[in-house]
Amino acid sequence: MDEPENGLNFHELELDDRLLRDIARLGWTSPTLVQEKAIPFLMEGKDVLIRARTGSGKTAAFAIPIIQNVLRYKREAEVRATTVLVMAPSQDLCHQIAKVFASLTYSFGPFLRIVDLSSKEQKGTHRHLLAERPDIVISTPARLRTVLADGTLNVRDSLRCVTIDEADLMFTFGFEKDLQEVLKHFPPVHQSVLCSATLEEDVLKLKQLILHNPVILKLEEPHLAVGSQLKHYQINAEEADKAAILYTALKLKLIQGKCIIFVKSVNRCYRLKLFLEQFGIRSCILNSELPIKIRCHTVNQFNQGVYDTIIASDEQMTDNPKLVKKKNAKKPTAKELLQQTEAESNVSRGIDFQCVSCVVNFDFPSDINSYIHRAGRTARGKNNGSVLSFVSAEEQEMKTRVEEFLQTLAGDAEFTMSNFNFNLDEVEAFRYRSKDAWRAITKFSIREARIKELKMEMFNSEKLKSFFEENPRDFQTLRHDRPLHTVHVQEHMGDIPEYLVPPALKPMVDIMNAKRKQKMLERHVTAKKRRTKADDPLMVNGIDYKQINM
């Protein structure tokens, strides 16, 4: 997190010792600019509208004062009650907010209870969780509307604070009707907080709905990190060359560190993953069709370094907000319900990818906001980052519009996207390899890969576990179904022959190949030792009886 110059430390904000202990455990020493400005107003109980860029620490800016205020509410109240509601437009963001609250209340144990209603649990589960009257409830507006309407949650007499994160997406994702219904269940007097990366028309409309004489924190921060902290690069490439350039850049370590690759559809996620697999480049996939637990697990694996490359698809809602605008019908259609579910599963906004060094726009974003939020995944806090965009002839117009917008952020300084120096003629052999690998991926292989992933989710599903135990034949039938014909991976394709490497990059590639061969040798030696022990008659169940006899 970036530390404001001459700012306060957390211990100067009159916070509870247990909260300070958890803040220190997270490694935070000083509040960011938005935290320093917002926390005092929120602790005073004022309505606040916070506009700050992605990665500026908005979640902690409202979570810390909420926790401090809940401690005060609990001293004043005679019985346990739900005093705080936090709403966000997607399940992933709700889950992420819940994790921040859990980290900041670690030292409180069961004294402070937090419930996340965004996951697709049974109604009975939600009823059980809410029956314990948690202090803080986190939810999407649609889920919150349901539990308020059926009486599972009643906050009319206890609610003290309502916070809405990513407020600029609430109406875009079709939650206007849900929010209006939810507001009917709130008491007339309560604190309200809106957080947003922008101050668009929808945010101002939402402000009129729930805020009363608010403090408006429009921090003088750019939408993105500027200057040397975030570099923007572009390379003109048509569809046939994009894969070749990406493969070469990743394999020759022209792109280093953790990387997020954005594409425009779910199918292209799988296509690109199957393509990279043929060259020994490991990656994971993130899109709204995956279950919430899998998406969160994928982000955690990426953050922990299990994968260095993640392939994410932009959502239809970001590209075409009209797709999820709700109609005035009393009862939503099945199609509208499906669109709402997709909206709640959006992965392109707010997710906390940690230590991302590079964002690659394999498909150039379709609007300026998408570019901002993609680029906002890197150069967070004090970390540096870069954005590399592949631009085809059809995407040139949008690239120009993005450049004009970034010029407004740069102010007087002249801004242009730097050209990514890449000569395809020098890596013609890589290009030849990649074309064959790209052509090998058909619609059939993509479908098979998605079926394979679906089957794995069925095997790992907790909800289906009891069903399979009662119906073992169904389990065996599913497991021994026809083989899936995904793309054949040839191990030698992971190596980089010396004759393929441009002279300037040969030293780097020699080091990479040496490390790879050393790892393969270590795995071979380990496997040989295991085989030797398995064949030894004096080794039984891993116990060396030779050592015991001695």
Side-chain angles (χ1 to χ4, degrees):
M1 290 189 174
D2 48 334
E3 299 176 8
E5 297 181 1
N6 303 321
L8 298 172
N9 289 322
F10 280 112
H11 69 267
E12 298 177 88
L13 295 174
E14 301 181 2
L15 301 175
D16 187 273
D17 289 342
R18 292 164 292 182
L19 181 53
L20 287 172
R21 192 181 308 129
D22 289 332
I23 290 172
R25 190 171 53 84
L26 291 170
W28 303 346
T29 54
S30 300
T32 62
L33 178 61
V34 64
Q35 291 164 5
E36 183 183 357
K37 301 298 182 184
I39 288 175
F41 288 118
L42 293 175
M43 287 176 60
E44 291 176 11
K46 296 182 182 294
D47 284 12
V48 180
L49 172 58
I50 303 172
R51 191 213 67 86
R53 69 176 173 86
T54 300
S56 60
K58 293 195 299 293
T59 304
F62 65 74
I64 290 172
I66 280 176
I67 294 168
Q68 184 65 35
N69 287 341
V70 166
L71 296 176
R72 175 167 54 85
Y73 303 153
K74 291 175 77 69
R75 288 194 296 267
E76 297 172 357
E78 297 180 358
V79 296
R80 176 181 285 275
T82 299
T83 54
V84 175
L85 296 176
V86 180
M87 284 182 278
S90 73
Q91 297 174 38
D92 303 78
L93 189 53
C94 285
H95 184 78
Q96 185 174 293
I97 292 170
K99 283 184 64 177
V100 173
F101 272 99
S103 298
L104 290 171
T105 57
Y106 179 82
S107 298
F108 294 91
F111 181 69
L112 283 181
R113 297 185 183 181
I114 301 158
V115 167
D116 178 9
L117 297 181
S118 64
S119 58
K120 296 179 181 178
E121 302 290 348
Q122 298 294 330
K123 288 185 177 180
T125 304
H126 287 161
R127 184 171 284 106
H128 172 72
L129 293 172
L130 295 175
E132 298 180 353
R133 299 178 183 176
D135 301 288
I136 302 168
V137 172
I138 302 165
S139 176
T140 59
R143 297 292 169 85
L144 189 59
R145 175 185 178 180
T146 300
V147 296
L148 289 171
D150 64 15
T152 304
L153 177 66
N154 187 347
V155 294
R156 195 174 296 277
D157 297 323
S158 62
L159 186 65
R160 300 290 194 93
C161 177
V162 176
T163 299
I164 300 179
D165 197 12
E166 297 288 356
D168 54 328
L169 287 184
M170 283 298 181
F171 289 172
T172 299
F173 280 14
F175 288 127
E176 182 175 3
K177 180 82 171 187
D178 291 317
L179 283 169
Q180 290 173 345
E181 291 298 318
V182 163
L183 290 175
K184 296 177 182 178
H185 297 270
F186 292 171
V189 179
H190 62 270
Q191 182 184 20
S192 298
V193 184
L194 290 184
C195 299
S196 174
T198 63
L199 287 180
E200 297 177 347
E201 182 180 347
D202 285 347
V203 179
L204 298 178
K205 186 175 180 180
L206 192 55
K207 169 193 165 188
Q208 295 176 348
L209 275 177
I210 72 167
L211 296 181
H212 305 282
N213 299 321
V215 174
I216 300 178
L217 295 180
K218 187 178 179 181
L219 302 181
E220 294 302 321
E221 290 184 315
H223 292 75
L224 292 172
V226 293
S228 60
Q229 188 180 359
L230 180 59
K231 299 290 187 181
H232 301 261
Y233 299 94
Q234 66 97 22
I235 183 167
N236 294 328
E238 297 305 319
E239 181 69 17
D241 291 330
K242 285 183 178 182
I245 296 170
L246 180 64
Y247 153 55
T248 308
L250 288 174
K251 205 64 182 175
L252 297 181
K253 296 297 181 183
L254 300 178
I255 297 174
Q256 297 188 1
K258 296 168 75 172
C259 171
I260 302 178
I261 304 171
F262 280 102
V263 294
K264 62 185 177 183
S265 70
V266 175
N267 270 355
R268 284 175 74 80
C269 274
Y270 288 93
R271 186 180 183 89
L272 195 54
K273 177 178 170 61
L274 292 173
F275 169 76
L276 295 178
E277 275 182 1
Q278 295 179 74
F279 302 105
I281 301 173
R282 297 177 70 242
S283 63
C284 54
I285 286 177
L286 192 65
N287 61 70
S288 64
E289 293 187 2
L290 297 172
I292 177 67
K293 290 184 179 179
I294 301 303
R295 295 200 301 272
C296 294
H297 179 66
T298 300
V299 173
N300 287 337
Q301 284 193 313
F302 178 75
N303 288 339
Q304 292 167 11
V306 177
Y307 294 95
D308 287 332
T309 303
I310 192 167
I311 304 170
S313 63
D314 261 356
E315 304 307 309
Q316 291 181 336
M317 293 74 67
T318 307
D319 293 337
N320 188 3
K322 293 180 181 179
L323 288 175
V324 291
K325 288 287 185 180
K326 287 192 173 180
K327 300 177 181 179
N328 293 324
K330 293 182 180 180
K331 185 177 180 180
T333 64
K335 184 177 180 181
E336 288 175 322
L337 287 174
L338 176 61
Q339 291 171 336
Q340 177 178 301
T341 301
E342 291 175 346
E344 292 183 6
S345 302
N346 181 263
V347 298
S348 62
R349 289 287 300 270
I351 304 303
D352 187 18
F353 298 103
Q354 297 173 8
C355 302
V356 177
S357 61
C358 182
V359 165
V360 176
N361 289 317
F362 190 80
D363 296 315
F364 200 80
S366 59
D367 56 60
I368 294 174
N369 278 339
S370 292
Y371 185 93
I372 292 171
H373 293 293
R374 286 184 183 187
R377 302 305 101 202
T378 185
R380 297 169 75 89
K382 283 188 173 182
N383 298 322
N384 293 329
S386 59
V387 181
L388 172 61
S389 299
F390 296 158
V391 187
S392 66
E394 296 176 351
E395 298 165 331
Q396 285 291 341
E397 182 180 351
M398 179 52 63
K399 189 214 72 165
T400 302
R401 290 173 57 190
V402 169
E403 278 189 311
E404 291 172 352
F405 174 79
L406 294 176
Q407 176 64 64
T408 63
L409 299 184
D412 296 334
E414 185 177 350
F415 175 86
T416 55
M417 287 188 189
S418 303
N419 288 320
F420 185 66
N421 295 323
F422 191 94
N423 188 349
L424 271 173
D425 294 335
E426 289 188 7
V427 290
E428 184 60 34
F430 283 86
R431 192 179 188 181
Y432 179 78
R433 275 187 164 196
S434 67
K435 281 186 176 180
D436 283 345
W438 190 255
R439 281 196 296 265
I441 306 166
T442 62
K443 291 181 179 179
F444 179 74
S445 62
I446 292 172
R447 189 191 70 177
E448 294 287 286
R450 297 182 70 170
I451 291 173
K452 182 179 180 180
E453 186 174 74
L454 179 61
K455 287 177 68 174
M456 290 304 298
E457 295 309 319
M458 293 174 71
F459 292 143
N460 297 328
S461 172
E462 290 295 328
K463 292 182 179 179
L464 290 176
K465 188 175 181 179
S466 58
F467 172 80
F468 285 140
E469 288 175 353
E470 295 173 2
N471 302 273
R473 290 188 62 184
D474 290 344
F475 180 78
Q476 292 301 324
T477 301
L478 184 63
R479 182 171 289 279
H480 298 294
D481 199 358
R482 63 185 177 81
L484 294 173
H485 302 286
T486 53
V487 178
H488 177 61
V489 176
Q490 304 177 61
E491 289 193 11
H492 73 275
M493 295 287 281
D495 291 322
I496 308 175
E498 188 175 343
Y499 65 86
L500 293 182
V501 183
L505 296 176
K506 278 188 177 180
M508 182 186 299
V509 174
D510 289 341
I511 294 173
M512 289 162 46
N513 281 340
K515 288 181 178 179
R516 188 171 184 273
K517 288 177 181 178
Q518 181 63 30
K519 287 182 179 179
M520 289 178 66
L521 180 61
E522 290 173 357
R523 286 199 296 266
H524 176 71
V525 171
T526 303
K528 188 175 180 180
K529 287 180 179 179
R530 287 174 180 169
R531 287 197 300 270
T532 303
K533 289 182 178 181
D535 295 338
D536 190 338
L538 294 177
M539 285 291 297
V540 181
N541 294 330
I543 302 173
D544 190 347
Y545 284 91
K546 289 181 294 185
Q547 296 293 331
I548 294 175
N549 293 333
M550 292 174 64

